[in-house]
Amino acid sequence: MGVESEREVLEPLSPITLSLSTPKLTLYIISVFESEIPFNVDTLKSWITQIMDCLNPRFCCTMVEKDRGELRWKRVNLNIDDHFIVPKPPNGDSDTHDQHVKQYICDVSLKPLPMDRPLWEFHVLNWKTTCSPATLVVKVHHSVGDGVSMMSFLLDLAKRADDPTKPISFPTSSSASGKAQFKNFRNVFSSVSSRIGGLVSGAWYSAIDVVDGLARSKLWVQDSNIPMRGPPGVEKLPVRISQATMDLKEIKMVGKKLNATVNDVLLGAISYGLQKYLQLSLSNERYKDPSVILEGLKVTSLVFFNAREDKGLQKPEMMFTSNSKAPWGNRIYFFLRPIPFGMPKDPTYFVKQASSSTKRSKSSLGVLLGRKFLVFKARYRDPEVAASSFYNSMSSTTLALSNMVGPKEKIAIEGHPIKDFSFFVTGIPLSLFLSVVSYMDHVNLRATGTKGYVDTETLCRCITEAFQEIKDSLVS
């Protein structure tokens, strides 16, 4: 195991990346791939060694301090043994190791990556589970890139299982195009045909969002202190992970009938499912009426979104061009979405509320201004100050949510067909993180919750039951 030698110094870290690389806030993206066959370790290791150096420069870089403490990317020679980990199978007579795999993933997610070498690891688990004979866990420091960057990396890393010569395709969004949405954020007030009422409401919503964002960044405003929120420093506590699966065609069917996007349907099911979960977890002898239990609760979800002008996925080499409208890196921010509580007779109420909240968000400049302010603080004041604001904004809410669009076809990694895959993020100062990704004909929802504060198995069951009720109400 040799020492990685210096090759070249690249550009400085971006402001948002600096904010995600501080002692206050350090995030990791964990991707989990379930293979249909055991991984050939030697083949996979040799292949990664050959392609990683040319596939993406960020995976061959470390952070170094230059003049005045400025952090820059330094390109180094890659020592694959530092990044390719193959743990021994667990002891025992059992044929399947579901709990061992889950526990291994949870343990890996909390272990910091060494900062003196490229910030990623591949963990190959040839441990049979009830779902697959092998699992690949890829851990990447968030400073390397955000979810869109990682999905772009996957686009280059994997091939179509049915025909490797054909390109991987991704489903198109049923919402407005990414470029149109971006312009809507930036130019709410520029349209000549805008009505006065829309201008006034847009200005009002923008002012509310800016004030709310500022108050949360100072922890002047926080969600209700319910047990599932966890204590300060919750991001360092052990976690549990669970997963739920929903049919993508059924989600689109619900969206079509309610004139809502796929995201709206998912947010509606999550909101309704979270209400069901809270009713179960907060019920006691004193409060037997669910409406009394939930009355007055303030619960907010922090929803990450892609802030690029072009929302489509591109190959990494295109994302690194100077004029790219979908550049590599951390082009993310978040908006805050209150979780609606109520006891409606029609469960589609939650999807309609999600759709209404989406339209309201698009009429506000608050999110764009909030991101610009965070970038300003990281660039011209101190990344630690920006990280503290980011940290406080997240910790003032109850849960975080991120969703990604995945491949329409089955993919294969160096000849290993991937049965399923999912992702999640650790280091967020919340006790609950929900990640959603589509793959082929279904959607995977992974719940990552702090042990002792969130029962992820029950929560996933509540969300799938909620979606089923929403779907059944439309059929009936």
Side-chain angles (χ1 to χ4, degrees), residues 309-423:
E309 182 173 356
D310 188 342
K311 306 296 183 184
L313 289 170
Q314 295 187 14
K315 285 184 172 293
E317 59 265 28
M318 296 300 297
M319 300 181 79
F320 277 97
T321 59
S322 58
N323 60 347
S324 175
K325 294 184 178 180
W328 183 276
N330 283 287
R331 304 304 174 107
I332 58 169
Y333 199 57
F334 60 85
F335 59 88
L336 303 176
R337 176 160 290 179
I339 300 294
F341 290 129
M343 300 302 294
K345 295 181 179 179
D346 182 5
T348 62
Y349 160 83
F350 294 93
V351 178
K352 295 172 183 176
Q353 285 293 105
S355 181
S356 176
S357 181
T358 299
K359 293 175 182 176
R360 178 230 183 273
S361 297
K362 289 181 180 180
S363 68
S364 169
L365 288 171
V367 174
L368 177 66
L369 294 174
R371 187 179 190 277
K372 286 186 174 296
F373 187 50
L374 184 70
V375 170
F376 176 84
K377 285 194 287 187
R379 178 174 290 161
Y380 298 108
R381 291 188 62 188
D382 186 348
E384 291 280 357
V385 175
S388 181
S389 296
F390 207 169
Y391 183 97
N392 290 344
S393 296
M394 289 190 284
S395 62
S396 72
T397 63
T398 302
L399 69 148
L401 174 65
S402 179
N403 68 316
M404 289 292 303
V405 175
K408 292 170 62 176
E409 304 88 12
K410 179 181 290 187
I411 60 173
I413 296 179
E414 188 57 10
H416 300 83
I418 300 303
K419 181 179 181 181
D420 218 344
F421 85 97
S422 59
F423 78 97

Side-chain angles (χ1 to χ4, degrees), residues 9-79:
V9 176
L10 301 181
E11 72 274 9
L13 275 65
S14 70
I16 295 294
T17 300
L18 285 170
S19 303
L20 299 176
S21 308
T22 63
K24 182 71 173 180
L25 188 63
T26 302
L27 307 184
Y28 296 101
I29 301 175
I30 314 294
S31 302
V32 181
F33 301 88
E34 299 175 6
S35 175
E36 292 184 352
I37 60 175
F39 285 105
N40 186 315
V41 176
D42 293 335
T43 299
L44 196 61
K45 186 175 181 178
S46 174
W47 171 69
I48 292 174
T49 304
Q50 294 173 13
I51 70 167
M52 194 61 76
D53 188 51
C54 60
L55 192 61
N56 191 305
R58 284 290 179 272
F59 286 83
C60 299
C61 292
T62 60
M63 295 181 192
V64 294
E65 283 193 14
K66 300 302 287 183
D67 299 335
R68 294 173 296 181
E70 180 189 29
L71 284 175
R72 299 177 72 94
W73 291 110
K74 182 185 76 172
R75 187 134 182 189
V76 298
N77 290 326
L78 198 64
N79 183 357

Side-chain angles (χ1 to χ4, degrees), residues 83-133:
H83 307 274
F84 199 87
I85 301 163
V86 186
K88 294 180 179 180
N91 297 324
D93 299 328
S94 177
D95 292 333
T96 57
H97 303 283
D98 294 61
Q99 291 305 316
H100 288 107
V101 170
K102 280 188 176 183
Q103 188 59 52
Y104 185 92
I105 295 172
C106 292
D107 293 342
V108 165
S109 70
L110 295 176
K111 185 179 179 181
L113 287 174
M115 299 298 290
D116 60 348
R117 59 196 191 207
L119 300 172
W120 59 273
E121 289 178 345
F122 275 51
H123 297 256
V124 182
L125 308 179
N126 278 328
W127 305 353
K128 184 179 179 181
T129 67
T130 54
C131 298
S132 67

Side-chain angles (χ1 to χ4, degrees), residues 233-257:
V234 68
E235 68 275 12
K236 295 180 173 64
L237 298 178
V239 297
R240 294 178 61 187
I241 55 175
S242 300
Q243 187 167 307
T245 301
M246 289 174 277
D247 188 281
L248 184 57
K249 288 184 179 179
E250 292 181 349
I251 294 173
K252 290 182 176 181
M253 180 272 293
V254 172
K256 185 176 181 179
K257 290 192 175 184

Side-chain angles (χ1 to χ4, degrees), residues 208-225 229 298-300 302 334 336 338 389-398 430:
I208 291 175
D209 290 343
V210 169
V211 172
D212 186 49
L214 177 62
R216 285 183 178 272
S217 71
K218 301 292 185 180
L219 291 181
W220 296 337
V221 174
Q222 298 190 54
D223 279 7
S224 299
N225 190 25
R229 284 192 65 193
K298 184 173 186 177
V299 177
T300 309
L302 183 142
F334 60 85
L336 303 176
S389 296
F390 207 169
Y391 183 97
N392 290 344
S393 296
M394 289 190 284
S395 62
S396 72
T397 63
T398 302
L430 291 168

